[in-house]
Each structure stands twice: as C-alpha cells, then as structure tokens.
C-alpha cells in the first residue's frame, strides 16, 4: 500500500511552511505598492505649492512603508509560529531521552514470559498462533514476534511484532529520517486503522498510539509504541476500548523494556 511520502513533521516541511508564509507576505507587499503607485506619485497640480506637494508625497510613501513593515512583522510572527518540526525518531526530545533519574536510557526490548494476566505462549501453542496470524505470509527476517494468552485456553489474545535498530540497520535508517508521528502515520495507514489516538507513552518516553482495525469477526485494537531504537506493534484480539488497549500496551512495554 502506498502511504504519504511527505513528512509534515520534518524540518524540510517546516521550512516550506515558513517559505510559504513569507512568499504570501511578499506577494501582498508587491500588490500594495503596485496598486498605490498612482496615489503615491501624484504630481503637483497647476498652481499648487511644490514644497507642500512633496511633503504630501513623502507622507503617502511613509504610510505605505509603515503598512509594509506591519505586513513583514505579522508574517515573521506567523512564520516563527509555523516552524515546529518534530525531531527524528532517533533523536527524541530531551525530555523523552532520559530515564527517571536523568541518565540516558538504552531501550532494549525483551518480551517477558508474563505481564498482568497475559502469559507468553511457547512451543506448539506459539507455532499454531503464528500459523494462524501469518496465514501463509512471511514476516521480514529481522522482525520478532510474541503471542500471549490471557485466559489459559491455548488461544492467543494478543500478539506483538518487534522491530529494533539494535539488530536491524533498516530500522536505524528509518528512525534517522522519520519522526515518531510519521512512523505512526505510515503504520496505521498501511494497516487501515481508524480513530487512531495518541496516549501517554509512560516513563520511557517516545510515543504510543492505538486505533481500530477490522478483525475476522469484529473490530480489534491495534497499538504501537516507538522510541529512538524500537518500533513495536501490538494487536489485542478481545479488547474493544482504545484507552484500555493503551494501558495493556504500556504494561507490556514497561515489562519488556530493559
């Protein structure tokens, strides 16, 4: 599926917004001076006072110059306000790059054997779950998966897909060129998710978002979290509430992050 190639959170896009604002201002100023040229350059009427006529002409030009300054000032304020690019995913904001004690974090993902009511499926049960999920498709060799059972019925209730720059150079390249917002946009667009919302990403920073996707029998919830190193997708089979799914995803993230 083709997703948007323009990143509205990028520095280039932000610079384009600034250029657009200033170009509009330049056009307005050019139009102002062109439309007022006859008024500004009125000649001295027959029998008139040349000195007084010159003074009036200077006042008219001064007035237009003042309006020009106001247009430039207003455009500069608007341009400054519009310049707000998100950092690339590999360079989160300073407040998101630090652990609670102020030290830098290295966010390594190790899927836990259990978190909350969920238990990691292993052996034949995990193989059956993966066969059901993939339905003959193949995942990229670098992607790691996990399947969790919530009610001990040997059927998965949550599955997770982990991509990390720790073991995949392509992830590192993507995170160096995309913001977390753009990562989410691409991911949820490709999965045809709707009603996507952002949620608190917790103590490890980065971003967390969830949305609804179509399931075999009913809608399911798809969540994802992203930080400077990892991008993780989580599908919750039985959850019907985005906020509840976000809490479960955050609990998994906290349990998996080392």
């Amino acid at each position: 599926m083709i997703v948007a190639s323009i990143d509205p959170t990028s520095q280039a896009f932000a610079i384009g917004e600034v250029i657009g604002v200033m170009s509009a201002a330049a056009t307005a100023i050019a139009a102002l001076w062109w439309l007022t040229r006859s008024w500004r350059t009125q000649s001295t009427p027959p029998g008139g006072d040349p000195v007084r006529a010159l003074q009036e002409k200077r006042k008219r030009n001064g007035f237009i110059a003042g309006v020009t300054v106001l247009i430039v000032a207003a455009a500069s304020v608007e341009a400054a306000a519009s310049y707000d690019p998100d950092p690339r995913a590999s360079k989160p904001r300073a407040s998101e790059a630090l652990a609670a004690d102020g030290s830098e974090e290295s966010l390594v993902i190790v899927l836990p054997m259990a978190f909350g009511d969920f238990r990691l499926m292993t052996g034949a049960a995990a193989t059956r779950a993966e066969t059901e999920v993939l339905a003959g498709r193949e995942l990229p060799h670098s992607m790691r998966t996990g399947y969790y059972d919530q009610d001990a019925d040997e059927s998965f209730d949550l599955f997770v897909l982990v991509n990390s720059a720790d073991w995949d150079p392509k992830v590192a390249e993507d995170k160096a060129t995309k913001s977390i917002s753009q990562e989410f946009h691409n991911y949820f667009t490709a999965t045809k998710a709707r009603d996507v919302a952002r949620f608190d990403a917790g103590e490890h920073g980065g971003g967390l978002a969830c949305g609804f996707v179509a399931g075999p029998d009913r809608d399911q919830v798809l969540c994802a979290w992203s930080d400077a190193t990892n991008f993780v997708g989580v599908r919750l089979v039985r959850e019907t509430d985005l906020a509840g799914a976000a809490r479960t995803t955050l609990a998994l993230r906290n349990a998996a992050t080392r």
Side-chain angles (χ1 to χ4, degrees):
M1 179 177 181
I2 299 174
V3 296
S5 59
I6 298 176
D7 181 357
T9 68
S10 67
Q11 185 180 50
F13 187 89
I15 291 174
E17 291 283 282
V18 170
I19 292 174
V21 171
M22 298 310 295
S23 296
T27 300
I29 290 170
L32 173 68
W33 283 83
W34 185 81
L35 292 172
T36 61
R37 66 191 188 284
S38 297
W39 177 67
R40 289 183 290 103
T41 58
Q42 288 179 7
S43 59
T44 304
D49 184 351
V51 175
R52 182 176 178 81
L54 180 60
Q55 291 175 341
E56 292 297 327
K57 182 182 294 186
R58 286 175 177 173
K59 286 181 181 180
R60 290 192 293 271
N61 279 284
F63 174 76
I64 297 302
V67 173
T68 299
V69 170
L70 289 176
I71 293 174
V72 171
S76 298
V77 171
E78 177 64 23
S82 68
Y83 185 79
D84 186 27
D86 283 0
R88 303 302 83 184
S90 61
K91 298 178 181 179
R93 299 188 191 279
S95 61
E96 298 176 346
L98 303 177
D101 62 1
S103 62
E104 289 190 9
E105 282 192 298
S106 178
L107 303 179
V108 178
I109 302 299
V110 179
L111 293 179
M113 292 302 298
F115 73 98
D117 296 332
F118 292 88
R119 300 294 180 269
L120 183 67
M121 301 172 70
T122 59
T127 300
R128 286 195 304 272
E130 183 150 294
T131 299
E132 181 180 344
V133 169
L134 296 184
R137 299 184 298 270
E138 290 189 5
L139 289 174
H141 72 280
S142 60
M143 187 174 291
R144 301 181 182 179
T145 62
Y147 301 87
Y148 286 87
D149 182 4
Q150 187 177 18
D151 50 12
D153 64 353
E154 293 295 306
S155 178
F156 71 91
D157 298 300
L158 176 155
F159 67 89
V160 55
L161 305 174
V162 183
N163 273 332
S164 178
D166 281 339
W167 60 74
D168 188 350
K170 179 64 167 59
V171 175
E173 292 174 7
D174 285 346
K175 286 185 172 291
T177 57
K178 295 181 176 66
S179 66
I180 287 176
S181 295
Q182 186 68 10
E183 285 185 317
F184 284 156
H185 171 79
N186 291 348
Y187 180 69
F188 288 108
T189 298
T191 56
K192 300 181 180 179
R194 66 182 191 281
D195 301 330
V196 177
R198 296 285 289 264
F199 295 90
D200 180 15
E203 62 181 311
H204 299 298
L208 189 157
C210 298
F212 291 108
V213 292
D217 303 314
R218 61 175 183 176
D219 283 347
Q220 298 175 355
V221 178
L222 182 68
C223 293
W225 81 76
S226 178
D227 53 52
T229 307
N230 311 290
F231 189 91
V232 183
V234 179
R235 188 152 180 159
L236 299 98
V237 175
R238 297 179 3 183
E239 185 62 72
T240 59
D241 175 65
L242 294 184
R247 288 191 294 270
T248 299
T249 301
L250 183 56
L252 173 58
R253 184 189 189 192
N254 290 338
T257 301
R258 302 287 186 269

